[in-house]
Amino acid sequence: MKFKTVTKEELELMPFDDIAYVILKEKGKKMKINEIFKIICDTLELGESAFENQIADFFTLLATEKRFIQLEKGYWDLRENHTAEIRIKDIEDELNEEEIMEEDYSDSEENDEYSETKDIDDDEADDDLKDLVIVDEEDEGNDL
């Protein structure tokens, strides 16, 4: 729908947020809220007093309507013009980096001389336990 092709009678039946949507869609760029509402008031011949009395309500309308987004310095635009772009290539690159980091970590563990127990001689482990004495709780009070 083109704003210029909509008749005044049709605009009078439309809510202000729908008219603002058509204006921003046709302009294709961000605009200040007072500029948008001024176009609406001028087109509907509402006058300066209507502009002053209803600009706060118009602000609230746009702020609560999910189709619009408030930008910095008082500008407004359509939310559809500011959607987050997810690039599959970036996600794949991140996943590949994580896999490389995991591989590097696992390689370092394999080369760690303390991480593997296959080098321990079973006979040496038994020798460490030869002086071990098992003491029962009943025998603790008795000195040997």
Side-chain angles (χ1 to χ4, degrees), residues 20-29 31 36 68 76 78:
Y21 180 86
V22 172
I23 292 170
L24 286 169
K25 188 77 168 174
E26 186 173 304
K27 294 277 185 181
K29 63 177 186 170
M31 295 176 67
I36 300 168
F68 302 97
W76 287 81
L78 299 176

Side-chain angles (χ1 to χ4, degrees), residues 8 10 27 60 91 96-97 104-105 115 134 136:
K8 182 181 174 191
E10 290 174 321
K27 294 277 185 181
T60 304
I91 294 172
N96 288 338
E97 287 176 14
D104 288 346
Y105 180 73
S115 67
I134 299 175
D136 286 336

Side-chain angles (χ1 to χ4, degrees), residues 121-134:
D121 187 9
D122 286 338
D123 292 336
E124 289 178 21
D126 291 339
D127 291 341
D128 290 342
L129 302 176
K130 68 180 178 183
D131 295 328
L132 183 65
V133 176
I134 299 175

Side-chain angles (χ1 to χ4, degrees), residues 86-101:
I86 300 174
R87 294 181 43 198
I88 301 299
K89 176 110 173 78
D90 291 343
I91 294 172
E92 289 174 348
D93 290 345
E94 286 178 23
L95 291 174
N96 288 338
E97 287 176 14
E98 289 175 9
E99 290 172 0
I100 290 170
M101 290 178 68

Side-chain angles (χ1 to χ4, degrees), residues 65-95:
E65 172 65 51
K66 294 184 179 192
R67 294 182 292 176
F68 302 97
I69 184 170
Q70 184 176 10
L71 305 171
E72 57 189 33
K73 298 182 182 180
Y75 284 95
W76 287 81
D77 202 358
L78 299 176
R79 185 173 300 275
E80 64 193 42
N81 295 336
H82 298 272
T83 56
E85 181 179 316
I86 300 174
R87 294 181 43 198
I88 301 299
K89 176 110 173 78
D90 291 343
I91 294 172
E92 289 174 348
D93 290 345
E94 286 178 23
L95 291 174

Side-chain angles (χ1 to χ4, degrees), residues 25-85:
K25 188 77 168 174
E26 186 173 304
K27 294 277 185 181
K29 63 177 186 170
K30 62 186 179 181
M31 295 176 67
K32 292 205 174 205
I33 194 166
N34 58 344
E35 294 172 329
I36 300 168
F37 197 57
K38 187 69 172 161
I39 293 171
I40 293 171
C41 289
D42 289 348
T43 305
L44 297 176
E45 300 173 359
L46 298 177
E48 191 64 31
S49 63
F51 176 83
E52 291 173 5
N53 292 333
Q54 296 180 17
I55 188 72
D57 292 335
F58 183 67
F59 174 85
T60 304
L61 180 65
L62 292 189
T64 57
E65 172 65 51
K66 294 184 179 192
R67 294 182 292 176
F68 302 97
I69 184 170
Q70 184 176 10
L71 305 171
E72 57 189 33
K73 298 182 182 180
Y75 284 95
W76 287 81
D77 202 358
L78 299 176
R79 185 173 300 275
E80 64 193 42
N81 295 336
H82 298 272
T83 56
E85 181 179 316

